[in-house]
Amino acid sequence: QKREISNFDYLMYLNTLAGRSYNDYMQYPVFPWVLADYHSKTLNLSNPHTFRDLSKPMGAQTVERKRKFIQRYNEVEKSEGDLSAQCHYCTHYSSAIIVASYLVRMEPFTQTFCSLQGGSFDVADRMFHSVKSTWESASRDNMSDVRELIPEFFYLPEFLTNANHFELGCMQDGTVLGDVQLPPWADGDPHKFILLHRQALESDYVSAHLHHWIDLIFGHKQHGSAAVEAVNTYHPYFYGDKTDLNNIKDPLIKSTILGFISNFGQIPKQV
């Protein structure tokens, strides 16, 4: 409010308070998608339609998608401790595989990604190859994809280039994966993308609306009735305070839950 700290620094501070750390891929700092325009030649930061709706989670960015997730929530009977527990989302907005997939062109994340994938790269069509297509998947097209971003999207152009010349495969349409495809407004320049993306994060629009997103990820809309109303509930295993592993005697169930959490992510501690 006093313009004494940047939005980036504020988000990093909140992530740290909530137990997120660069040292833990499973609890890596989470940052929001702030833009919805990945198709224009120039980026207009004075137009509200340029931006993502920060008051809604990624699963509710379109009316149709929101309706489907509400329908899923209503169809599942509440059954705590079951893999089919009542929730809007069975996948998470931040996990080890999401972090490693974004940073796959840089070591040591390349090796991390391959180890998480069983020793090799994923099918090319599923690899992170385009900012625009990743946004469309997470905000509209893929019901199992509600991913947010990581801090590197706002300061590290190197993760967008395949400087190590890894052979990432070839997509079904014949496209050979190399550098990440950038929006037209970046002119193919990773440095320009990072510059404009950071300007978007620090823009007046985001400054005025960022608190809504913070409520969803770190605040009072994280769980409970406010989360249900905001279409923002996740599988119970993702909430650290809802699952007491010490009380689970069956080693198979315990290892299943731990595997679930490590594969799909964890909700930050409520700040």
Side-chain angles (χ1 to χ4, degrees):
Q1 286 179 333
K2 293 180 179 177
R3 303 298 171 112
E4 292 176 2
I5 185 173
S6 67
N7 290 336
F8 182 91
D9 288 336
Y10 186 50
L11 286 170
M12 281 305 300
Y13 180 68
L14 288 175
N15 269 286
T16 304
L17 278 182
R20 314 294 285 190
S21 166
Y22 282 120
N23 299 320
D24 186 350
Y25 294 149
M26 289 184 286
Q27 296 191 84
Y28 207 76
V30 56
F31 268 59
W33 288 95
V34 293
L35 294 173
D37 182 353
Y38 296 97
H39 54 269
S40 297
K41 287 278 189 201
T42 56
L43 193 61
N44 182 2
L45 296 180
S46 62
N47 181 357
H49 296 294
T50 298
F51 298 92
R52 164 255 180 106
D53 187 340
L54 288 159
S55 69
K56 295 184 176 72
M58 289 303 292
Q61 289 296 307
T62 69
V63 174
E64 178 62 16
R65 188 166 152 98
K66 180 180 178 182
R67 184 189 63 76
K68 286 180 180 176
F69 280 121
I70 291 173
Q71 183 180 353
R72 172 194 282 176
Y73 180 89
N74 291 333
E75 283 175 354
V76 178
E77 290 297 319
K78 193 164 181 62
S79 50
E80 289 286 344
D82 184 0
L83 287 176
S84 62
Q86 187 176 37
C87 60
H88 293 109
Y89 314 115
C90 296
T91 54
H92 199 261
Y93 49 77
S94 175
S95 65
I97 194 69
I98 289 172
V99 172
S101 69
Y102 281 143
L103 300 173
V104 70
R105 290 162 178 79
M106 295 171 57
E107 290 289 14
F109 303 98
T110 313
Q111 293 303 316
T112 301
F113 182 84
C114 288
S115 65
L116 289 169
Q117 281 293 129
S120 62
F121 291 120
D122 199 357
V123 177
D125 286 80
R126 289 204 299 260
M127 295 279 286
F128 172 54
H129 66 277
S130 159
V131 178
K132 179 175 180 280
S133 65
T134 302
W135 159 255
E136 289 172 347
S137 170
S139 66
R140 187 187 71 200
D141 297 338
N142 187 346
M143 290 292 284
S144 62
D145 183 3
V146 292
R147 75 184 71 185
E148 293 278 9
L149 298 183
I150 53 175
E152 285 81 353
F153 272 84
F154 301 94
Y155 69 82
L156 190 70
E158 286 78 11
F159 87 95
L160 297 165
T161 61
N162 188 20
N164 292 312
H165 306 293
F166 292 120
E167 293 186 10
L168 302 171
C170 183
M171 295 172 65
Q172 287 184 340
D173 64 4
T175 304
V176 177
L177 293 198
D179 297 346
V180 176
Q181 294 171 14
L182 302 174
W185 45 259
D187 297 326
D189 181 351
H191 289 83
K192 185 172 182 180
F193 172 83
I194 295 292
L195 175 69
L196 291 173
H197 205 215
R198 182 64 174 265
Q199 286 178 0
L201 178 65
E202 305 299 341
S203 67
D204 288 341
Y205 179 90
V206 172
S207 296
H209 295 85
L210 188 58
H211 63 285
H212 294 304
W213 183 82
I214 290 168
D215 286 342
L216 293 168
I217 306 300
F218 302 108
H220 77 287
K221 292 182 181 177
Q222 193 191 76
H223 55 248
S225 59
V228 175
E229 196 175 321
V231 194
N232 192 43
T233 65
Y234 297 81
H235 194 283
Y237 291 166
F238 297 157
Y239 298 86
D241 58 349
K242 285 189 180 179
T243 307
D244 187 358
L245 291 171
N246 295 324
N247 289 333
I248 297 172
K249 299 292 182 270
D250 189 325
L252 184 61
I253 294 175
K254 185 180 280 192
S255 66
T256 300
I257 293 173
L258 284 170
F260 197 84
I261 295 166
S262 63
N263 280 317
F264 292 106
Q266 290 171 270
I267 301 289
K269 290 175 186 168
Q270 195 170 26
V271 176

